[in-house]
Amino acid sequence: MTKKIKVALAGLGFGAEFVPIYKHHPMVEDIAIVDGNEDVLKETGDKFSITHRYTDIAEVLQSDAWDAVHLVTPIQYHAPQSIEVLNAGKHCACTIPMGLSLQELRDVVAAQRASGKNYMMMETAVYTREYLMVKEMYEKGEFGRIQFLRGAHYQDMDGWPDYWKGFPPLMHPTHAIAPLLDLIGKRPVKVSCLGSGSMREELVRQYNNPFPVESALFQLENSDVALELTRTMFHTARDYSECFNVYGEKATFEWQQLEHERPVIFRMGEMDGSRGRPFTVERVTAPDRQGLLPEAIRRFTQKGVYDETNEHLSFIQGGGHGGSHPHLVHEFVSSIVEGREPGIGAITAANWTAAGICAHQSAMNGGIPVDIPAFE
């Protein structure tokens, strides 16, 4: 393909990881960077030889020079800025969550429809090497009939930027729920969720959220499969993990307990006269799917822009969130060039994000079931 686009990347904390991926992508003609911190802007621009630098995203939106904007900004700005980008007639990629309320989700969906431009939520979990392996197993029928799904995201958020203080756990759900919903292609329609534990008062104030842990059970549309989801953010002694488990009649995939370990696949055998069927247990290594990417950006599944002293948690999983970052960039860019819906478009993003917002509503009301609205 000869068509190329010009992309502006806004937010250079974690967002700096994506700069060289865009710069080397064969369908990207030029890249700009945006950050309100001039020192960060200069450091990143000098490091990657980026000429176009902005301290205010409004300058990008007012310019005809840029076709798309990738937002890696604080969570409270995701929905408002996505709407501004779309209303400016530009394609929008945005890190998670899509928004902080059902109304914000509706507003982003409406802006996407009105603009006719692409919106993609940059959820890493459906592009990790582990998920791509499990998806291939599922499509080949190796799991047989799916019986149960379980996801979890354990992370201690003390010491993170102030906007995370006391954040309701399941309002940031998609690292754990997205791979499960994407796998079987079902929408969550109802949820019952319980909050658990207690937090120090300073963490409760900002969001009026008393729970360091939330655990939910989801009913899926036109499905006999239940989905369980747990998220921890504070006061819980557990190492970092974004994980999912798939329980099938013929095979089961379970995420490893510790990140340096390997996931496990259980395979059920035939009845042999003993109590219960025999099964095999295998530790597996998910293959890297660099072959799905243009050659120029394949190396970024294994190595990011950060050096060995960087402690950003995404790199615990190798190359940034299980090698997903170049896959996300490639899907966003190629969907624009090819004139098609991106892999995680506005409707899908809203359905996945709404599941967590409604789960928190249930937790705040003692576990009363909450209907999850459909974005269609």
Side-chain angles (χ1 to χ4, degrees):
M1 293 185 180
T2 57
K3 182 179 178 181
K4 293 187 177 184
I5 64 170
K6 297 180 180 180
V7 181
L9 184 89
L12 298 178
F14 169 56
E17 158 65 16
F18 295 91
V19 174
I21 306 175
Y22 280 111
K23 183 175 180 179
H24 291 280
H25 196 288
M27 298 178 193
V28 174
E29 180 180 344
D30 206 353
I31 179 173
I33 52 176
V34 187
D35 200 282
N37 186 318
E38 294 188 8
D39 292 335
V40 171
L41 193 66
K42 183 179 188 307
E43 179 183 358
T44 305
D46 291 350
K47 182 174 183 178
F48 299 112
S49 301
I50 305 299
T51 303
H52 307 287
R53 308 175 188 183
Y54 300 88
T55 57
D56 189 343
I57 193 172
E59 297 178 72
V60 172
L61 301 185
Q62 293 164 7
S63 170
D64 294 330
W66 307 103
D67 303 300
V69 177
H70 181 169
L71 300 169
V72 195
T73 52
I75 53 176
Q76 65 268 33
Y77 301 130
H78 289 182
Q81 288 182 339
S82 295
I83 293 166
E84 290 174 356
V85 170
L86 293 165
N87 287 346
K90 303 184 189 303
H91 303 283
C92 179
C94 185
T95 190
I96 60 169
M98 182 187 198
L100 300 182
S101 69
L102 295 177
Q103 188 57 53
E104 284 196 339
L105 305 187
R106 295 185 187 102
D107 292 343
V108 174
V109 169
Q112 186 277 318
R113 284 176 173 160
S115 70
K117 297 298 181 179
N118 282 14
Y119 170 92
M120 179 170 170
M121 184 174 73
M122 303 297 265
E123 174 48 68
T124 60
V126 294
Y127 290 96
T128 65
R129 55 182 70 90
E130 292 85 0
Y131 177 68
L132 294 176
M133 178 186 72
V134 169
K135 184 178 181 180
E136 183 176 64
M137 290 176 60
Y138 177 74
E139 290 173 347
K140 289 180 177 179
E142 293 185 33
F143 288 104
R145 183 166 48 195
I146 300 297
Q147 304 286 31
F148 182 59
L149 301 168
R150 173 180 286 143
H153 182 178
Y154 309 113
Q155 189 167 4
D156 181 63
M157 304 295 283
D158 265 317
W160 283 61
D162 285 348
Y163 55 80
W164 285 112
K165 286 185 176 179
F167 195 79
L170 280 180
M171 282 182 60
H172 186 275
T174 57
H175 280 336
I177 200 172
L180 301 171
L181 296 177
D182 187 69
L183 185 72
I184 63 171
K186 299 294 184 180
R187 184 182 71 82
V189 294
K190 184 172 290 190
V191 60
S192 180
C193 179
L194 291 176
S196 184
S198 58
M199 290 201 294
R200 60 186 187 272
E201 180 58 31
E202 66 168 293
L203 293 179
V204 175
R205 295 190 199 112
Q206 183 167 208
Y207 297 100
N208 192 33
N209 166 51
F211 304 124
V213 182
E214 289 179 328
S215 190
L217 195 62
F218 292 88
Q219 177 184 339
L220 305 182
E221 187 175 39
N222 300 322
S223 177
D224 57 5
V225 179
L227 189 160
E228 177 191 290
L229 189 68
T230 297
R231 176 81 164 94
T232 70
M233 295 188 75
F234 297 95
H235 299 306
T236 307
R238 176 59 166 87
D239 194 15
Y240 168 79
S241 182
E242 299 167 12
C243 54
F244 67 90
N245 299 334
V246 179
Y247 298 89
E249 190 172 21
K250 297 190 332 188
T252 285
F253 170 88
E254 284 194 348
W255 200 273
Q256 62 270 25
Q257 280 288 98
L258 302 174
E259 287 302 321
H260 68 268
E261 298 174 342
R262 292 183 296 163
V264 179
I265 293 179
F266 302 85
R267 295 185 187 275
M268 189 69 77
E270 298 298 327
M271 288 293 293
D272 61 3
S274 60
R275 293 185 178 182
R277 288 185 293 174
F279 59 89
T280 60
V281 182
E282 179 187 8
R283 290 272 183 185
V284 297
T285 300
D288 205 325
R289 298 304 172 91
Q290 291 181 330
L292 300 175
L293 299 167
E295 186 174 358
I297 63 170
R298 289 177 183 175
R299 66 188 184 276
F300 296 115
T301 64
Q302 295 290 337
K303 183 175 177 60
V305 307
Y306 299 101
D307 60 27
E308 294 179 354
T309 64
N310 184 77
E311 296 181 354
H312 195 285
L313 288 174
S314 73
F315 286 85
I316 291 175
Q317 294 180 307
H321 290 105
S324 63
H325 296 169
H327 291 281
L328 286 168
V329 169
H330 181 56
E331 175 61 20
F332 179 54
V333 172
S334 61
S335 72
I336 296 169
V337 171
E338 295 166 9
R340 60 172 175 82
E341 176 83 0
I344 314 172
I347 297 299
T348 298
N351 283 327
W352 291 356
T353 308
I357 293 173
C358 291
H360 178 61
Q361 291 176 358
S362 175
M364 293 297 288
N365 287 281
I368 294 174
V370 173
D371 292 328
I372 303 170
F375 292 83
E376 298 175 338

